[in-house]
Amino acid sequence: MIMHSWKDIPNNSDFSIYNIPFGVFSISGGSPRLASAIGDEIIDLKGVAATGIFDSLDINSRIWDADTLNPFISLGKSVTNKVRTLLQEHMCDPSSPLKGSNCFHPMSDVSMHMPVFVGDYTDFYSSIEHATNVGIMFRDPANALMPNWKHLPVGYHGRASSIVVSGTNITRPNGQTKPNDGPPIYGPSQRMDFELEMAFIIGKESNLGDQISTKQADDYIFGMVLFNDWSARDIQKWEYVPLGPFLGKSFGSTASPWIVTMEALSPFAVEGPIQDPEVLPYLTYSGLKNYDINLTVSLTPKDGQANVISTSNFKYMYWNMNQQLAHHTVNGCNVKVGDFMASGTISGKTPESYGSMLEIAWSGQKPITLKDGSQRKFINNYDTVTINGWCEKNSIRVGFGEVSGTILPAK
């Protein structure tokens, strides 16, 4: 359905009338509270509620003053979807009480916060191109994928406490690394990396012992954010056998501040890759469960220009979100509102679409040259990495804004 808003929205805005994401903002050091976004402005949902347009939903007024979206999301999709559609309807209605109200603030005047309290965080490993590249580099090129990779969505439980909102600086981690010759040494990571990822947010709790099927998963996935799962590759390489990632990952991950709902993304659903061999019955699914989301990564040196170093797409993912959630809960593991489920590095088939410096510079063997003439094998101190993501189809654009972070020297 074509919608026309009385709001002046730039044509290339991520936050069109078709989006209406949810986030948490504050003004001039005030208390955080809930918001949506349209064009270059945030929408103060507490102010919107005061106009009465949400009265029919009987939402407790304290919801709008919460410093995370968890209580709002817990209302369920029957309510949160109605909030979104009411905002769309009123911003297309010239007689709406929102027109002329003080519910809108320039994005440049506000601070954005972590949109949810993250109780638990799981990182998957669901790009076959990325897994293959890593396997070629570190194992056997003829058998790059581990034997289980095409049979289940591989993942690990990460550290929720170190997930931060876009714009937060990340300190280069210290840890043990192992030179090619000699014993382990301690010091700052020399192989700092980004990982181009997206994450979905759990919107409904399950009970311990229950499974969520691929069909039921739609009810449990509230929306998505952009995600940079920073990695210290040298620390990771030395520590990960036999139990997997630990300190090489847990020092920081960065999330974008706006959660884009699955309802806003539904027009951009596409077929996923053919899965061969055939998956087990609990991982089968029907419908379009991959999403055509354009992704770019830029690296900006201190006081320098931005360099686009990756152009990829979320549609490449071998394992989709419904399968990830079904596998995550097949053993009866329960999920809670606000849990983060990250995709793993998103890489395509060509070097231009690789989603990490590990792949782009091929473990340091193929350095890239930036606009200022400097070269990168991995991420230097004071480099800023920015990820952008958006969908576009039939002149309709729905985007995520950006997720950005700067690497500071180790302490």
Side-chain angles (χ1 to χ4, degrees):
M1 182 180 70
I2 301 298
M3 291 184 280
H4 299 283
S5 176
W6 43 262
K7 267 290 180 185
D8 185 16
I9 305 169
N11 291 331
N12 64 344
S13 173
D14 282 353
F15 306 113
S16 68
I17 190 66
Y18 300 97
N19 192 343
I20 312 300
F22 294 103
V24 177
F25 84 106
S26 64
I27 301 177
S28 302
S31 299
R33 59 184 186 269
L34 306 196
S36 185
I38 187 79
D40 297 328
E41 297 178 298
I42 67 99
I43 309 168
D44 181 350
L45 293 184
K46 181 179 181 179
V48 174
T51 68
I53 74 170
F54 299 148
D55 284 357
S56 63
L57 303 179
D58 196 26
I59 299 173
N60 189 309
S61 61
R62 287 179 294 183
I63 291 285
W64 311 115
D65 278 317
D67 59 3
T68 71
L69 285 165
N70 295 55
F72 174 71
I73 294 172
S74 297
L75 296 174
K77 286 196 175 189
S78 62
V79 176
T80 59
N81 285 346
K82 188 60 177 175
V83 168
R84 178 173 169 269
T85 56
L86 281 170
L87 286 169
Q88 289 175 318
E89 291 168 5
H90 276 267
M91 283 188 288
C92 291
D93 179 2
S95 64
S96 169
L98 293 185
K99 192 171 185 180
S101 72
N102 61 355
C103 299
F104 301 91
H105 303 280
M107 288 186 177
S108 57
D109 291 350
V110 307
S111 297
M112 298 302 299
H113 302 269
M114 268 296 294
V116 293
F117 170 76
V118 185
D120 281 295
Y121 157 50
T122 299
D123 190 26
F124 287 95
Y125 188 50
S126 291
S127 162
I128 192 169
E129 290 83 6
H130 174 68
T132 300
N133 287 338
V134 173
I136 289 171
M137 275 186 268
F138 296 118
R139 288 190 296 275
D140 177 8
N143 296 285
L145 295 178
M146 296 295 283
N148 64 349
W149 200 92
K150 285 190 173 183
H151 293 275
L152 56 86
V154 175
Y156 74 96
H157 292 281
R159 184 70 185 177
S161 65
S162 54
I163 299 177
V164 295
V165 74
S166 178
T168 305
N169 294 329
I170 300 292
T171 301
R172 182 179 294 269
N174 291 300
Q176 282 194 31
T177 59
K178 175 70 167 63
N180 291 331
D181 299 312
I185 60 174
Y186 169 82
S189 169
Q190 301 302 305
R191 292 193 156 205
M192 271 297 300
D193 202 356
F194 72 91
E195 290 193 10
L196 168 60
E197 301 196 26
M198 300 194 71
F200 66 88
I201 314 301
I202 294 296
K204 180 181 178 180
E205 294 194 358
S206 66
N207 295 316
L208 186 66
D210 288 350
Q211 299 178 20
I212 299 171
S213 69
T214 56
K215 183 177 181 180
Q216 294 169 326
D218 289 335
D219 293 332
Y220 286 83
I221 302 174
F222 177 74
M224 301 183 70
V225 296
L226 300 173
F227 197 69
N228 182 350
D229 186 28
W230 301 95
S231 297
R233 298 298 188 184
D234 42 2
I235 295 174
Q236 179 185 359
K237 182 179 179 181
W238 172 232
E239 73 177 359
Y240 85 102
V241 177
L243 295 182
F246 184 33
L247 302 182
K249 298 278 193 175
S250 61
F251 61 91
S253 301
T254 312
S256 56
W258 294 107
I259 301 178
V260 178
T261 66
M262 299 313 299
E263 289 68 33
L265 294 172
S266 62
F268 309 99
V270 295
E271 292 276 3
I274 295 172
Q275 295 182 328
D276 183 25
E278 185 176 344
V279 299
L280 291 173
Y282 79 95
L283 290 171
T284 60
Y285 66 96
S286 60
L288 305 177
K289 299 303 178 185
N290 279 48
Y291 292 85
D292 185 3
I293 304 173
N294 302 293
L295 298 163
T296 64
V297 182
S298 298
L299 189 155
T300 306
K302 185 179 181 180
D303 301 323
Q305 294 178 281
N307 299 257
V308 175
I309 59 174
S310 176
T311 302
S312 194
N313 196 297
F314 187 63
K315 68 183 179 184
Y316 299 143
M317 303 305 289
Y318 187 88
W319 296 103
N320 63 53
M321 293 180 284
N322 294 56
Q323 291 177 309
Q324 290 168 343
L325 186 53
H327 183 66
H328 197 301
T329 61
V330 74
N331 67 343
C333 174
N334 58 320
V335 296
K336 295 185 177 182
V337 171
D339 286 356
F340 261 54
M341 306 283 179
S343 62
T345 303
I346 303 164
S347 292
K349 296 182 183 299
T350 63
E352 294 77 17
S353 62
Y354 292 167
S356 65
M357 284 298 296
L358 180 67
E359 297 164 273
I360 294 169
W362 207 253
S363 193
Q365 297 176 36
K366 300 176 181 179
I368 60 171
T369 302
L370 307 183
K371 293 176 182 177
D372 62 6
S374 65
Q375 291 191 323
R376 293 292 186 279
K377 296 179 180 180
F378 290 93
I379 306 300
N380 286 1
N381 289 338
Y382 304 109
D383 283 348
T384 298
V385 176
T386 302
I387 299 171
N388 292 88
W390 71 96
C391 311
E392 199 155 12
K393 180 181 178 181
N394 298 330
S395 301
I396 294 175
R397 183 181 174 107
V398 170
F400 293 80
E402 68 175 36
V403 59
S404 185
T406 301
I407 296 298
L408 300 184
K411 294 183 178 179

